Amino acid sequence: MNRTLCIILIVTGIILIATGGFFLTKKPDGFTGSDYTIPEIDLSVMPEEYRGTDLEYLYELSVVDNSRDYMAHPDSVLLKNGTILTFYPAGHGKGAVQNKISTDEGKTWTDELTDTPKSWESSLETPTVYRLTFTDGKTPDKLIMISANSKWPDMETPGGFNCSVSTDEGETWTEFERFYDYESGYNLTPIVAMSSLTQLKENGEFTDKWMGLFHDSEFYNYKTILTFDEEGNPQWSKPEKYFSAYRAAELASNMCEVEVIRSDMGKGDELCLITRSNSKKMNSLISFSNDEGKTWSRPVEAPAALNGERHKAEYTPDGRLFITFRSIERGEKARDNATRKDTRGWISEGLVAWVGTYDDLKNGSEGQYRIKIAHIYNDNQRTPRYYANSDTGYCGNVVLEDGTIVTSGYGKYDPELKASDGKTLKTSICSKRINLKDTDRILADILSKK
């Protein structure tokens, strides 16, 4: 081999590594899914035509927290005064519960709760937080935070799950109370409790009962019903497996982290669940219940546009759904962009959102469009591209009165922000404000140019 050719090959290799890795001319095996066909709006890079316009905010990120090398797994709740509380662990899943507050609709995150419960420091899972509204017209709303006692390598766990309650809009919280732990005689080791918490109906009317879902390491999925006693203390029913009729699909997909969506803007009589398929060998599963979660329809695979992990759904004032998730792509485009290691059969676009209707879920339609919220960088990337880091998602989503969504997720948002090792990128929690009226305008621009 002559010297010139050798130099060319070396330089080419350096360029390929710097831009994301070596790519194959022969496609990796294992990609068995399809591509989504609806448009996707990319909010990671601002077109020059939008600079200085009222659409510029869609491309801006607000840092919630980047004080550690790794910050992840947030969840959020909107207070009645418009304040947003976001909670997350000091680590990957396990770690003391941290929090940040925004008093300006998600533009900045500066404050945090003080005098939080001591028991929060020993949290072993991603905290989830929900608002509970009671039906008697007298009982004030409660906020509830839930944290599973998952099993981590080289760590002991008491099993079961914890919950902490606030009755004063997040000013104060009770210490964690543990339910269904090993000492109580239950062999339960939940993961992501509660991935969803849904207020239930009886005889067509809402009641003060909520269905919480979680899974375990064998991918059995459980439900438990939350109620409160006369003194206002939380009570949880004995967890039971709710998807046993479809155990083959549950196990083949490694079904977990289920989100539940109620029809008719959260007021209807049907429930839809959408799952994370952790095996990556099939798309997320969708199933429906018309008896408040007692039984479920045979699950079907979600369209490629909705395939992903840790779905979090909110209705917007116009009746549409905004669903965030970690993108999992299994189609031809993913295969064409895969690297040598991706014979596993999937890659990720990172943090995305789906915009559509409940009828789209019901009918198996792809929806209206997707949004790439921001690029999540791999350590060797310097510019956004299709292939993104998959360590992202787990968003806290709230919808403001004017329809603006404040979505807070995690990932490697900044290619220049290095971790303490000086090599890998720092993982941060960041938020973005999105109003679908404005992304609709961008969609119209995209379609007009085709």
Side-chain angles (χ1 to χ4, degrees), residues 21-35:
F22 286 94
F23 285 79
L24 296 172
T25 54
K26 181 179 181 297
K27 299 173 183 177
D29 297 329
F31 288 78
T32 58
S34 59
D35 294 320

Side-chain angles (χ1 to χ4, degrees), residues 131-321:
R131 173 177 293 278
L132 308 177
T133 300
F134 294 81
T135 59
D136 60 8
K138 300 176 182 178
T139 305
D141 288 4
K142 299 180 191 291
L143 305 180
I144 188 165
M145 179 197 295
I146 307 156
S147 173
N149 291 312
S150 302
K151 180 69 177 72
W152 297 91
D154 303 319
M155 289 184 67
E156 295 298 320
T157 177
F161 56 87
N162 307 312
C163 69
S164 177
V165 176
S166 173
T167 58
D168 54 11
E169 288 295 292
E171 289 288 332
T172 61
W173 295 78
T174 62
E175 294 287 348
F176 272 149
E177 183 178 1
R178 190 181 303 155
F179 293 85
Y180 300 103
D181 59 6
Y182 299 158
E183 287 187 1
S184 302
Y186 296 94
N187 188 28
L188 278 174
T189 314
I191 302 173
V192 189
M194 302 297 170
S195 63
S196 64
L197 188 65
T198 305
Q199 190 165 19
L200 297 177
K201 288 185 171 185
E202 291 181 354
N203 300 317
E205 300 294 332
F206 282 111
T207 186
D208 296 338
K209 297 180 180 180
W210 292 263
M211 177 179 67
L213 304 183
F214 65 85
H215 70 283
D216 66 12
S217 60
E218 295 181 347
F219 298 100
Y220 282 104
N221 286 266
Y222 291 84
K223 72 174 181 180
T224 174
I225 307 302
L226 168 66
T227 56
F228 290 84
D229 64 19
E230 293 182 356
E231 285 73 43
N233 300 308
Q235 310 291 311
W236 295 88
S237 68
K238 181 180 177 181
E240 59 181 289
K241 298 170 183 176
Y242 66 89
F243 222 64
S244 296
Y246 310 110
R247 178 57 181 163
E250 183 183 40
L251 187 58
S253 69
N254 287 353
M255 172 179 157
C256 59
E257 297 178 10
V258 173
E259 171 70 308
V260 173
I261 304 164
R262 186 177 286 278
S263 61
D264 192 21
M265 293 192 69
K267 300 176 181 178
D269 295 328
E270 183 175 71
L271 301 178
C272 170
L273 65 74
I274 182 166
T275 78
R276 168 177 177 168
S277 288
N278 201 53
S279 70
K280 313 291 197 298
K281 294 178 181 178
M282 62 181 69
N283 283 358
S284 298
L285 302 179
I286 290 181
S287 179
F288 296 88
S289 175
N290 288 292
D291 56 10
E292 298 299 301
K294 295 182 179 67
T295 61
W296 295 90
S297 66
R298 183 172 299 279
V300 297
E301 290 189 58
L306 261 169
N307 187 41
E309 299 179 341
R310 193 59 178 115
H311 300 78
K312 292 287 284 184
E314 294 290 341
Y315 280 101
T316 57
D318 63 5
R320 285 183 289 179
L321 281 163

